């Protein structure tokens, strides 16, 4: 199971309509999972600053129980940064992304036992 959460101070009107579907596909490919175990949450119009100013910025997290090598982590984070930059038009120096590994036994999902790329399986 993977959960991508994107916080931005940009207005919802500046988030493309296809954003969540495209991000779902990106995460699905990156963690090599089925779409059914990818959750995407977008929180726009957040009251947030970066460096003490309100210029457009993004804070994103990707929580996943997928087994990812260090090289794969770098690849996924790079793809996510490029995606956020291109879709939200936020400079890359104002995008912060955290990859958060989650052990499978700390999550609950009814068909989780069918997901072959889970930590501990």
């Amino acid at each position: 199971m993977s959960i991508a959460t994107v916080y931005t101070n940009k207005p919802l009107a500046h988030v493309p309509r296809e954003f969540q579907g495209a991000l779902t596909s990106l995460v699905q490919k990156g963690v090599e999972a089925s779409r059914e175990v990818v959750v995407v949450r977008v929180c726009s119009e957040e009251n947030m600053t970066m460096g003490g100013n309100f210029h457009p910025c993004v804070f994103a997290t990707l929580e996943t129980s997928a087994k990812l090598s260090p090289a794969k982590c770098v690849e996924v984070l790079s793809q996510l940064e490029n995606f956020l930059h291109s879709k939200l038009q936020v400079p890359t120096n104002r995008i912060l992304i955290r990859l958060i590994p989650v052990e499978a036994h700390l999550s609950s999902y009814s068909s989780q036992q069918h997901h072959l790329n889970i930590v501990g399986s």
Side-chain angles (χ1 to χ4, degrees):
M1 185 166 204
S2 297
I3 304 167
T5 306
V6 178
Y7 301 93
T8 183
N9 55 4
K10 294 196 76 165
L12 179 59
H14 293 181
V15 177
R17 185 166 182 79
E18 75 282 354
F19 184 87
Q20 287 175 278
L23 183 53
T24 298
S25 295
L26 181 96
V27 171
Q28 171 198 4
K29 290 174 189 165
V31 301
E32 300 173 6
S34 65
R35 290 180 70 83
E36 290 75 25
V37 294
V38 175
V39 175
V40 171
R41 179 177 182 216
V42 178
C43 304
S44 60
E45 302 182 36
E46 289 288 303
N47 183 17
M48 60 190 272
T49 64
M50 185 173 187
N53 64 59
F54 287 96
H55 298 302
C57 60
V58 171
F59 172 63
T61 60
L62 175 56
E63 301 171 68
T64 186
S65 57
K67 295 185 254 181
L68 302 176
S69 69
K72 187 67 170 177
C73 289
V74 169
E75 178 185 330
V76 169
L77 289 171
S78 177
Q79 290 173 352
L80 186 52
E81 179 182 70
N82 291 337
F83 175 86
L84 295 170
H85 169 68
S86 67
K87 296 293 185 189
L88 297 178
Q89 300 298 302
V90 173
T92 56
N93 67 338
R94 298 197 48 85
I95 297 173
L96 176 62
I97 306 167
R98 290 186 61 212
L99 178 62
I100 305 168
V102 178
E103 295 182 45
H105 71 275
L106 298 176
S107 299
S108 175
Y109 181 70
S110 62
S111 65
Q112 199 168 21
Q113 65 274 15
H114 303 295
H115 183 42
L116 301 177
N117 198 24
I118 291 181
V119 174
S121 61

